[in-house]
Amino acid sequence: MNSTVIMFYCISAFILGTGILAVTTGKIFRSAIWLLFSMMGIAGLYFWMQMEFIAAVQIIVYVGGIVVLIIFSIFLTQKSGEEMPKPPLTKTIFSLLAAILGFIFSYLLIYQYGFNDGNAPFELKVSDIGLKMLDTGEHGFILPFEVISVLLLAALVGCIVIAMKVKSIEE
Amino acid sequence: MFEELGTTAEGDMLINIGPQHPATHGVLHLVMTLNGETIKKTEPHLGYIHRSIEKMCESLTYRQFVYVTSRMDYLSSHINNHGCSLAVEKAMQIEVPERAQVIRVIMDELTRIASHELWWGAMAMDLGAFTPFFYSFRERETITDIMEETCGARLTMNYICPGGVMMDLHPDFQKRVKSFIALFKSKFDEYNELVTGNIIFQNRMKGVGVLSKEDAISYGCTGPTARGSGVSSDIRKLYPYEVYSKVQFDEVLETGGDSFSRYMVRINEMLQSIKIIEQLIDNIPEGEFQAKTKAVLKLPKGEFYQRVETARGELGIYIVSEGGTTPHRIKFRSPGFSNLSALGHMVKGSKIGDLVATMGTLDLVIPDIDR
Amino acid sequence: MNEINITDILLVSTALFFVGVYGFFTRRNMITMLMSVELILNSVNINFVAFNKYLFPQNLDGVFFTIFIITIAAAEAAVAIAIIINMYRSHHSVDVEDATDLKY
Amino acid sequence: MFIIDYIKDIFKGLKSLLTGMKITGYYFTHHKEIITEQYPDNRATLKMADRFRGEVVMIHDEDNEHACTGCSACELACPNGTIKIINKFDVNAEGKKKKAIDTFIYHLELCTMCNLCIVACPTDTIKMEPNFEHSVYDRSKLTKVLNRPGSKIKAGVE
Amino acid sequence: MLSLENITNAVHEWLNATLNPTLALLSEFVIVGVLAIALFAVLGLSLVLMERKVAAFIQIRLGPNRVGPFGMFQTVADTLKLIMKEGLTPDGADKFLFNLAPYIVMIAAMMLLAPIAFAKGFQIWDINIGVLFLTAVSSISVIGILMAGWASNNKYSLLGAMRSGAQIVSYELSAGLSIITIVILTGSLQISDIINAQANGWWIFKGHIPVLISFVIFIIAVTAETNRAPFDLAEAESELTAGFHTEYSGMKFALFFLAEYINIFIACAIGATLFLGGWMPFHIGHWEAFNHIMDFIPSSFWFIGKTFFLIFLMMWFRWTFPRLRIDQLLNLEWKYLLPISLVNLLVVALMAVMGWHF
């Protein structure tokens, strides 16, 4: 075992531990904080895989954006210090069962499928991402890029329309 | 969590501003109902610094009760003393010597400038600018030095007494006042450049805490608060006392009714006070500084009322006398109390930041409100 | 085990996926369900990145999918939260079982 | 035009901010404008105004004589009972009993420096001193006796 | 000539020669960690003192002058006081999050230190996405503030946290956009590339007016991101007493306080790196003699000097301006800074494509 392997196990344990806490904690605000840690752990995993760009995007979008948004919505809608009602026992058992069975099934699938690791060196250059993003050629991503930007714009407009108070009704 | 902290039925947040809070400049307690950051309701709670000054005055003689009033509105202690002395003089029909009258008016105006200086600094501090406080205190310190030299104290001077003033002016008085006027004029532009003209400040002040003319009248607002809403309420003009009828000055009126109008009223009032002092400082008549009065003052039976214009508005002193050496009943009509009552109306629907800006321009002195 | 290969990473992401699934099943609060969905999306992202790095190092497709998923997740979270807040305004609750009407 | 107003607004705002910064910058670079006093350090040069009211003292001349007749006008004038005068009866040369002061008790902790006692005093025997450093560890030390031990009234003061 | 690069290289070689690679790496980690913490302590002490002195001189006062010459050890005394104070946790607070929050803020500030080049060849981690890393990690500290505000079980804190969240999330946009202008001009996210691109002139001089505009926007945005006056709404003394750290005392408060100053230092260091050329000396065209003299000043001095100049600028703002209101703060961002920086970005992109910069 070298240091890389140890780091991988630490990061994985962190991701899974905080992830489990995020879905089981009773207090909703704490749950959001655990989710945040889980996201940061995943960013750490990307760093471990030497995908610095993805890791940074992960931190910016998830940690700086989505989790803050979630925390805000918790502040706005919840009595956030309260314990949330516990799910009924049968529901918990069946969900747990479903999750574990699903995990075992996927585990067997992954285990049986032999991946042939190319072990070719991989280096993520930021300029490559930029070039590919705007490439109109065979392996270019200009179309999805444009579609995504339209989607973002639509989401932006949609959010404003949904969350805007309808003044005429209230007055 | 909110239920533990206290919310209303509609889910609005109840929050206590004060009694210990940096923006209330004392022990004012505001119970506010907030919807997010928007203020729905403001309710001032008083009584944290009530010292029953009115009741205390009933057991003090007419010479003694004057000094207690310095402790009400401690920033315009001269003017409070002046009002009390005027009430006693009115009742006893004492003719105050011309020299004492002029000295009293000069002292009043100096007090007014000092009070407005402190208000200016404290208000800028409420808005988050700390530096103006020190600049305004530089000028205010000059005034308190002048006061110290002539009256013997810096804040609660007890210099004006029934019949005139307690002691004659210090020989250096005129010279120092003139140098103060020169200093003030040289520094006044800094005030405008640093605070008044600042874009952040203007945005914080304009259109905030609007008090309409009708509301100002119905809440009984006086002083700069009323004049900012366009209500002419300067006692010095409407019911002139002492030598105010003989000096030239303008009543500062603004019609906006918002915090910025009240701010501009006070800023310009400082200039008017300087104008009054300039007219009088070279023309202090020679003569007695105190009328000949008996050692023990006895007011005739009756009720007497006198109003003066303090730095905050109209101060009314109402004395009921049974003919003895002590008043039977004394009531002060303090300007801050009426001005504060308009606060809830002014800040309704605005943000917490606006509350601070509005409260700053009301220039509240809590001991004046609570007495 | 001296080397981490793709199977290990896939296991981690699978576990994370089912953690998210468990949360999605058990929670009734819309915000916590949204959080579970985020976990699921993240586990998929890990897969894409791992496939790209270990299996197709000459391409960048996995990276691009990840970037697009992150973008969509952001848009989705924003819209979902707008809906949640709007629903809270009308129903005073964010419980899924209270959201039975399509129109209110 | 909207755009022109927008840009004008920005420049006006920036200009107002820069004028403010000019003033604070001026004071930052001009240290001689500093006005604060280093109080305990400048004790030697600190000069209070002559009339500053710090505490009430009784004037004694070099023969340890004062002018207090014990008339208690100051005690009556004081609004909050700061002054207590205890009189005794001296027997003078002609064998007549005469009222004189025994102890002039002055409660500094109660005093508001209103100056009414000084005004009331018919013989100008008490005055205000510009001493303002009154802090002590024991409150009882603030209760003072103003007439010095062994002092007596000046001849000729009635 | 004293050069930090030589020292680090010598240390690196010596460690590799005497220890095996893993141990050498570990000991380098330890050295870097110790140096970072030492830097934090020194920065915290000196910046607080600097703030107080700047405030004092602007406010025609003398400032701290009792402890040590010119009050130099005043902040040391203050730190001792804070360490000895009891760290209270209010009743009803979420104790775990309440105690965690200052560390989150502190760790975020620490992570930001990694890609900053303090001198020529003196950098902890020259990561290939340097600027993006800085933008990303700086967004973590808002979580700490939200946590602190919520966990305190205090309404002032909660309001402060909400304000801070809205503020930091929106001002990140224009800060990011103004950073991107420099990335466009340089064509790289790596800090060392950005600095090397300024060898023949700093971007603020080479980039004409658009870069000047983005510099101004950057300064405004980082002032807001670090919760400094006139954007200190999260702690707004006269409105929310102390905002999100109302309930903190003792060492936990000191951590918040320290993190604020570290964040200021880092924000200013980023500004100095991007716009003022980092450790690059000041050069003028063909004045060889002048350039040579400038080269003689150690590169660390250049970096520290530029950073402290920007810090002074931020302190100057703080002690001059009144505070904005929350809606005005968001107006300023969404109606002024963001549109301007978007247009500015287009202009810079055009400039970079056409090669109009020097």
Side-chain angles (χ1 to χ4, degrees):
Chain A
M1 274 227 225
N2 56 14
S3 56
T4 332
V5 177
I6 296 171
M7 262 164 83
F8 173 77
Y9 283 118
C10 288
I11 291 170
S12 311
F14 184 75
I15 293 172
L16 290 179
T18 50
I20 289 167
L21 279 171
V23 296
T24 51
T25 316
K27 285 180 181 171
I28 186 162
F29 186 85
R30 280 199 184 184
S31 172
I33 295 296
W34 289 126
L35 177 76
L36 166 92
F37 284 136
S38 191
M39 300 295 175
M40 277 160 74
I42 292 168
L45 190 64
Y46 291 147
F47 270 120
W48 180 85
M49 286 199 265
Q50 284 160 355
M51 298 273 188
E52 289 92 355
F53 184 78
I54 303 284
V57 170
Q58 168 90 7
I59 293 179
I60 290 179
V61 176
Y62 276 103
V63 176
I66 291 176
V67 174
V68 174
L69 214 62
I70 287 174
I71 289 175
F72 255 83
S73 65
I74 290 171
F75 281 168
L76 290 176
T77 59
Q78 295 285 308
K79 298 182 170 76
S80 44
E82 280 181 358
E83 290 274 325
M84 282 185 291
K86 280 217 164 64
L89 191 65
T90 48
K91 200 172 172 182
T92 318
I93 290 170
F94 279 113
S95 318
L96 201 61
L97 224 59
I100 288 171
L101 287 177
F103 177 69
I104 291 168
F105 176 66
S106 318
Y107 175 81
L108 291 175
L109 273 183
I110 294 167
Y111 199 69
Q112 280 167 9
Y113 189 89
F115 291 103
N116 50 340
D117 297 19
N119 274 340
F122 177 78
E123 200 195 351
L124 182 66
K125 278 210 289 238
V126 183
S127 49
D128 286 349
I129 294 176
L131 290 174
K132 273 279 176 63
M133 185 86 87
L134 296 177
D135 191 1
T136 49
E138 198 179 343
H139 289 287
F141 285 88
I142 183 83
L143 183 66
F145 178 66
E146 287 301 323
V147 171
I148 286 288
S149 30
V150 172
L151 176 88
L152 273 182
L153 183 68
L156 211 70
V157 175
C159 287
I160 293 167
V161 171
I162 292 170
M164 206 159 53
K165 264 187 186 159
V166 188
K167 282 216 172 102
S168 55
I169 294 171
E170 290 199 351
E171 275 162 14
Chain B
M1 180 177 87
F2 288 147
E3 264 162 9
E4 295 159 21
L5 293 172
T7 45
T8 61
E10 294 84 42
D12 297 328
M13 185 155 58
L14 281 174
I15 194 164
N16 293 302
I17 303 274
Q20 293 294 324
H21 190 277
T24 53
H25 301 298
V27 284
L28 179 63
H29 179 195
L30 299 172
V31 180
M32 300 211 299
T33 313
L34 291 182
N35 177 17
E37 278 231 9
T38 314
I39 299 165
K40 280 182 133 178
K41 200 174 138 204
T42 311
E43 207 179 309
H45 286 196
L46 297 178
Y48 290 92
I49 195 164
H50 190 81
R51 295 150 299 169
S52 57
I53 283 180
E54 286 164 6
K55 191 72 190 165
M56 270 163 73
C57 289
E58 287 172 23
S59 61
L60 296 176
T61 66
Y62 289 109
R63 277 197 193 284
Q64 288 170 347
F65 94 96
V66 174
Y67 102 97
V68 191
T69 58
S70 308
R71 271 87 182 160
M72 292 194 326
D73 182 353
Y74 47 80
L75 292 180
S76 38
S77 53
H78 264 311
I79 310 181
N80 294 351
N81 294 347
H82 194 175
C84 296
S85 303
L86 276 176
V88 173
E89 283 153 13
K90 196 177 179 181
M92 294 187 68
Q93 286 159 353
I94 299 171
E95 195 65 42
V96 181
E98 185 96 357
R99 181 177 175 83
Q101 290 192 15
V102 173
I103 293 173
R104 283 173 170 192
V105 167
I106 293 174
M107 285 300 184
D108 276 10
E109 295 310 316
L110 281 177
T111 314
R112 199 182 309 281
I113 295 171
S115 168
H116 284 346
E117 294 270 13
L118 189 132
W119 155 81
W120 185 76
M123 187 218 52
M125 208 156 83
D126 279 349
L127 294 181
F130 288 82
T131 308
F133 191 74
F134 292 88
Y135 294 174
S136 74
F137 258 62
R138 174 185 51 199
E139 275 83 73
R140 187 173 183 275
E141 205 64 10
T142 325
I143 297 179
T144 42
D145 281 348
I146 293 170
M147 296 287 188
E148 189 186 354
E149 203 178 54
T150 293
C151 321
R154 296 171 76 86
L155 191 67
T156 50
M157 283 73 118
N158 195 28
Y159 179 62
I160 297 172
C161 60
V165 292
M166 210 172 252
M167 325 161 227
D168 206 352
L169 289 176
H170 193 272
D172 287 347
F173 181 75
Q174 278 160 304
K175 201 179 81 198
R176 290 194 68 167
V177 170
K178 276 178 198 159
S179 73
F180 162 72
I181 291 173
L183 173 79
F184 182 85
K185 283 186 167 170
S186 69
K187 300 292 184 192
F188 187 72
D189 285 341
E190 272 180 17
Y191 293 10
N192 286 334
E193 284 170 18
L194 187 61
V195 172
T196 316
N198 190 305
I199 179 109
I200 302 173
F201 177 79
Q202 292 205 347
N203 281 332
R204 280 299 297 274
M205 287 304 224
K206 279 182 180 163
V208 162
V210 180
L211 185 69
S212 69
K213 194 173 178 178
E214 290 73 30
D215 288 332
I217 294 169
S218 67
Y219 276 106
C221 296
T222 47
T225 311
R227 291 200 282 281
S229 303
V231 182
S232 171
S233 65
D234 197 336
I235 306 299
R236 295 174 295 171
K237 278 276 184 209
L238 301 178
Y239 307 95
Y241 48 97
E242 309 283 28
V243 291
Y244 277 121
S245 50
K246 294 176 198 158
V247 290
Q248 296 288 317
F249 70 100
D250 301 324
E251 181 180 2
V252 187
L253 274 181
E254 295 273 340
T255 47
D258 56 357
S259 289
F260 193 68
S261 306
R262 291 190 283 278
Y263 172 85
M264 286 316 287
V265 167
R266 286 206 166 84
I267 284 281
N268 289 329
E269 241 177 43
M270 283 198 258
L271 288 180
Q272 293 301 328
S273 295
I274 289 283
K275 200 171 153 189
I276 294 172
I277 296 170
E278 273 180 332
Q279 287 170 42
L280 293 176
I281 192 68
D282 283 328
N283 305 318
I284 304 175
E286 293 298 321
E288 287 293 307
F289 60 88
Q290 206 173 17
K292 291 269 177 288
T293 48
K294 285 179 192 152
V296 178
L297 300 175
K298 263 189 184 172
L299 257 66
K301 203 169 171 180
E303 299 176 4
F304 310 98
Y305 186 73
Q306 173 66 41
R307 47 180 131 202
V308 282
E309 177 80 12
T310 72
R312 267 146 217 93
E314 176 186 337
L315 172 75
I317 295 109
Y318 179 64
I319 305 179
V320 180
S321 168
E322 296 273 274
T325 55
T326 58
H328 177 65
R329 173 84 175 90
I330 277 194
K331 165 88 180 99
F332 297 112
R333 183 247 179 247
S334 71
F337 187 79
S338 325
N339 292 350
L340 176 70
S341 66
L343 178 70
H345 178 77
M346 284 150 84
V347 297
K348 196 176 176 190
S350 48
K351 304 268 185 289
I352 300 178
D354 294 338
L355 170 91
V356 176
T358 312
M359 219 150 64
T361 52
L362 285 183
D363 193 10
L364 301 173
V365 171
I366 311 303
D368 175 41
I369 297 165
D370 260 358
R371 292 193 294 290
Chain C
M1 250 196 292
N2 275 329
E3 195 76 11
I4 296 297
N5 50 27
I6 183 161
T7 321
D8 303 309
I9 298 172
L10 287 186
L11 275 181
V12 172
S13 74
T14 315
L16 193 65
F17 181 89
F18 284 104
V19 166
V21 166
Y22 171 78
F24 191 77
F25 283 160
T26 47
R27 299 273 174 151
R28 278 164 50 205
N29 187 314
M30 276 193 180
I31 296 171
T32 40
M33 282 168 79
L34 180 72
M35 280 152 56
S36 307
V37 173
E38 298 297 340
L39 277 181
I40 295 173
L41 282 174
N42 267 287
S43 74
V44 174
N45 281 352
I46 296 175
N47 273 9
F48 273 118
V49 171
F51 284 140
N52 196 158
K53 181 177 162 71
Y54 287 95
L55 302 182
F56 305 101
Q58 66 280 10
N59 289 351
L60 280 177
D61 299 25
V63 169
F64 272 97
F65 265 91
T66 313
I67 292 171
F68 289 145
I69 289 172
I70 289 176
T71 322
I72 290 173
E76 170 239 317
V79 173
I81 281 164
I83 291 172
I84 289 170
I85 288 173
N86 205 13
M87 186 182 145
Y88 182 76
R89 279 205 193 118
S90 57
H91 287 65
H92 292 283
S93 159
V94 289
D95 199 307
V96 270
E97 280 161 39
D98 294 342
T100 48
D101 310 333
L102 279 177
K103 191 177 179 343
Y104 49 86
Chain D
M1 192 59 181
F2 166 73
I3 296 285
I4 291 170
D5 285 350
Y6 181 83
I7 293 169
K8 256 189 201 159
D9 270 7
I10 292 169
F11 274 100
K12 244 168 67 187
L14 276 180
K15 201 182 149 226
S16 77
L17 297 180
L18 289 177
T19 24
M21 281 174 70
K22 199 184 81 195
I23 288 170
T24 44
Y26 170 82
Y27 284 111
F28 181 75
T29 46
H30 289 68
H31 292 190
K32 65 175 185 296
E33 301 262 359
I34 287 174
I35 50 160
T36 46
E37 288 177 18
Q38 306 294 301
Y39 160 59
D41 292 351
N42 68 351
R43 267 215 189 99
T45 54
L46 185 69
K47 203 185 164 305
M48 297 303 292
D50 306 333
R51 291 186 185 178
F52 182 77
R53 304 203 287 258
E55 65 173 327
V56 176
V57 294
M58 192 181 275
I59 304 165
H60 288 74
D61 63 7
E62 58 272 16
D63 302 331
N64 206 8
E65 287 179 338
H66 57 73
C68 183
T69 56
C71 68
S72 55
C74 48
E75 189 180 349
L76 285 173
C78 183
N80 40 11
T82 305
I83 297 170
K84 276 276 173 303
I85 289 174
I86 300 169
N87 280 326
K88 61 181 177 186
F89 285 94
D90 274 359
V91 182
N92 63 359
E94 290 124 48
K96 260 186 180 176
K97 270 189 179 176
K98 198 188 164 199
K99 202 168 83 171
I101 188 162
D102 181 34
T103 32
F104 188 112
I105 298 169
Y106 169 55
H107 293 276
L108 181 55
E109 76 268 30
L110 294 179
C111 186
T112 58
M113 320 296 167
C114 66
N115 210 31
L116 287 173
C117 51
I118 314 294
V119 171
C121 184
T123 55
D124 288 341
T125 187
I126 47 176
K127 67 163 186 175
M128 283 286 184
E129 274 287 298
N131 167 29
F132 58 93
E133 287 169 332
H134 292 314
S135 60
V136 285
Y137 285 106
D138 184 3
R139 191 176 165 173
S140 62
K141 285 193 182 127
L142 289 172
T143 306
K144 297 180 177 180
V145 176
L146 291 191
N147 53 336
R148 290 189 194 149
S151 65
K152 61 175 196 290
I153 187 164
K154 245 180 242 170
V157 176
E158 286 302 320
Chain E
M1 199 169 76
L2 178 100
S3 159
L4 289 169
E5 191 178 17
N6 298 344
I7 297 171
T8 46
N9 285 341
V11 169
H12 180 76
E13 275 159 24
W14 180 79
L15 278 174
N16 274 322
T18 44
L19 300 165
N20 67 2
T22 320
L23 272 181
L25 191 71
L26 267 178
S27 45
E28 274 177 11
F29 277 170
V30 170
I31 290 170
V32 165
V34 168
L35 281 181
I37 288 168
L39 179 76
F40 271 30
V42 171
L43 273 181
L45 296 180
S46 57
L47 284 179
V48 173
L49 183 70
M50 178 181 164
E51 170 109 271
R52 294 176 69 171
K53 277 288 182 188
V54 168
F57 287 142
I58 281 178
Q59 294 171 345
I60 45 180
R61 298 185 282 122
L62 272 178
N65 57 1
R66 295 284 134 161
V67 191
F70 305 107
M72 266 155 71
F73 303 119
Q74 180 68 48
T75 43
V76 180
D78 287 347
T79 318
L80 281 177
K81 183 206 84 173
L82 279 172
I83 289 171
M84 285 191 289
K85 270 181 93 170
E86 183 187 1
L88 288 170
T89 309
D91 191 29
D94 192 328
K95 295 213 169 43
F96 173 67
L97 294 181
F98 183 82
N99 292 322
L100 186 66
Y103 296 98
I104 295 265
V105 176
M106 201 65 208
I107 287 167
M110 267 189 172
M111 277 161 76
L112 282 171
L113 211 59
I116 287 173
F118 290 93
K120 197 177 178 197
F122 192 73
Q123 196 175 1
I124 297 174
W125 187 22
D126 193 11
I127 183 173
N128 62 352
I129 50 153
V131 181
L132 195 64
F133 178 84
L134 289 171
T135 326
V137 174
S138 66
S139 62
I140 294 178
S141 65
V142 64
I143 300 285
I145 291 173
L146 284 172
M147 262 161 78
W150 179 81
S152 298
N153 193 22
N154 178 320
K155 275 179 269 193
Y156 289 130
S157 303
L158 189 67
L159 279 174
M162 295 278 274
R163 283 177 174 193
S164 162
Q167 178 181 334
I168 293 180
V169 167
S170 43
Y171 273 83
E172 237 165 42
L173 290 174
S174 47
L177 283 175
S178 52
I179 288 174
I180 286 177
T181 57
I182 298 301
V183 173
I184 288 177
L185 288 171
T186 315
S188 171
L189 291 168
Q190 205 160 352
I191 295 280
S192 55
D193 286 354
I194 290 173
I195 294 174
N196 286 329
Q198 305 180 62
N200 56 346
W202 305 345
W203 277 124
I204 198 159
F205 300 128
K206 282 202 295 181
H208 307 294
I209 291 168
V211 173
L212 201 65
I213 292 173
S214 66
F215 176 67
V216 172
I217 289 174
F218 179 82
I219 289 292
I220 294 174
V222 294
T223 312
E225 266 199 76
T226 46
N227 283 328
R228 294 275 298 176
F231 307 103
D232 61 342
L233 285 126
E235 35 210 285
E237 193 217 310
S238 57
E239 294 159 30
L240 304 177
T241 57
F244 65 90
H245 56 60
T246 306
E247 297 286 354
Y248 282 88
S249 63
M251 210 49 218
K252 278 178 269 176
F253 169 74
L255 280 181
F256 271 120
F257 201 61
L258 186 59
E260 184 189 331
Y261 283 95
I262 302 297
N263 277 330
I264 292 164
F265 175 80
I266 284 162
C268 291
I270 298 168
T273 308
L274 295 179
F275 297 96
L276 303 180
W279 46 261
M280 276 291 168
F282 183 65
H283 283 173
I284 297 177
H286 300 290
W287 298 15
E288 296 302 335
F290 178 81
N291 291 352
H292 201 73
I293 293 167
M294 289 289 134
D295 282 338
F296 200 70
I297 300 171
S299 56
S300 48
F301 280 37
W302 279 106
F303 175 77
I304 296 290
K306 287 167 191 173
T307 309
F308 272 77
F309 167 72
L310 291 184
I311 292 171
F312 170 70
L313 211 60
M314 277 169 78
M315 287 176 179
W316 196 357
F317 291 156
R318 172 166 182 181
W319 299 109
T320 306
F321 300 136
R323 184 185 302 120
L324 277 82
R325 205 169 57 210
I326 181 74
D327 54 332
Q328 289 164 355
L329 180 95
L330 298 178
N331 267 353
L332 174 69
E333 164 66 19
W334 296 103
K335 287 192 185 159
Y336 291 92
L337 295 188
L338 191 63
I340 292 172
S341 42
L342 280 173
V343 172
N344 193 42
L345 188 66
L346 285 180
V347 175
V348 170
L350 190 71
M351 212 166 81
V353 170
M354 308 296 279
W356 283 341
H357 57 87
F358 293 119

